[in-house]
Amino acid sequence: MARSRNIKPGLFTNEILGTVDPYLTLLFEGLWCEADKEGRLEDRPLKINVKVFPYRNFTLKKIDGLLNELTALGFITRYQVSGAAIIQVVNFRKHQAPHSTEKESVLPEEPVAEVSQNQSVSEVTEVVALPNASLTEVVALPNASSTEVEESGIRNQESGIRNQESG
């Protein structure tokens, strides 16, 4: 069931969504409307296609590709729990205020990777800048080296400088 959601003005000035296929932005907004109170929905590309793009003649491959791009850009995560494929909209509760009468989510959260006693935290996490984060905000994700983190930060800063110069 589609729900009412809010669009903040910052969506239109997001440097990542502003420079990629515009259908990614429309799909991302459509996922908000289809997601439950916690920002989760079933990962069913064909159903998502019908709900978000009912008059477009997109193939299943096209929608799955767009979902993969949103995942690669850090806007959603795709995961499975007990055979159920699920999408989680990243930072959903930070940017959306679901109505108090909305039903609680019945979809399970993404499982958290456990750290064994023989692994250090640096072995199981990487620091990356999220699309909606400033250059100083970071998040921990599995498996990255400090070199990858530094290179990612440098690339993000260079990209920001180029975008400021061209804007």
Side-chain angles (χ1 to χ4, degrees):
M1 170 173 72
R3 298 153 176 96
S4 296
R5 299 293 184 226
N6 297 313
I7 297 176
K8 295 181 179 180
L11 175 74
F12 301 105
T13 58
N14 181 289
E15 291 179 355
I16 295 172
L17 289 175
T19 58
V20 294
D21 183 344
Y23 284 121
L24 283 174
T25 304
L26 287 173
L27 177 58
F28 187 47
E29 294 165 334
L31 294 178
W32 298 343
C33 294
E34 295 304 317
D36 64 21
K37 193 173 190 171
E38 297 302 321
R40 292 184 213 117
L41 66 150
E42 292 180 297
D43 190 346
R44 297 176 57 193
L46 188 60
K47 184 177 181 181
I48 291 168
N49 184 29
V50 169
K51 296 281 192 169
V52 179
F53 300 111
Y55 301 108
R56 304 279 179 209
N57 193 18
F58 289 155
T59 64
L60 181 60
K61 184 178 179 180
K62 167 80 171 173
I63 295 299
D64 195 51
L66 290 171
L67 290 168
N68 285 336
E69 282 189 68
L70 285 174
T71 301
L73 293 170
F75 289 99
I76 65 171
T77 57
R78 299 174 88 179
Y79 60 96
Q80 290 196 0
V81 175
S82 302
I86 300 167
I87 293 172
Q88 172 70 57
V89 178
V90 175
N91 292 328
F92 181 82
R93 290 301 297 255
K94 179 179 176 182
H95 298 288
Q96 296 296 321
H99 194 274
S100 60
T101 61
E102 212 172 294
K103 293 179 183 177
E104 295 298 320
S105 178
V106 296
L107 298 172
E109 291 181 54
E110 182 174 14
V112 177
E114 294 185 25
V115 179
S116 74
Q117 291 178 348
N118 297 332
Q119 289 178 306
S120 70
V121 175
S122 63
E123 289 178 312
V124 294
T125 60
E126 70 174 298
V127 178
V128 295
L130 291 179
N132 297 341
S134 71
L135 288 176
T136 57
E137 292 177 305
V138 293
V139 126
L141 296 174
N143 305 319
S145 68
S146 59
T147 305
E148 291 171 336
V149 171
E150 289 170 13
E151 289 174 357
S152 173
I154 291 168
R155 282 194 302 272
N156 287 341
Q157 288 175 346
E158 289 172 348
S159 174
I161 291 168
R162 280 194 301 272
N163 288 336
Q164 287 174 352
E165 291 172 348
S166 65

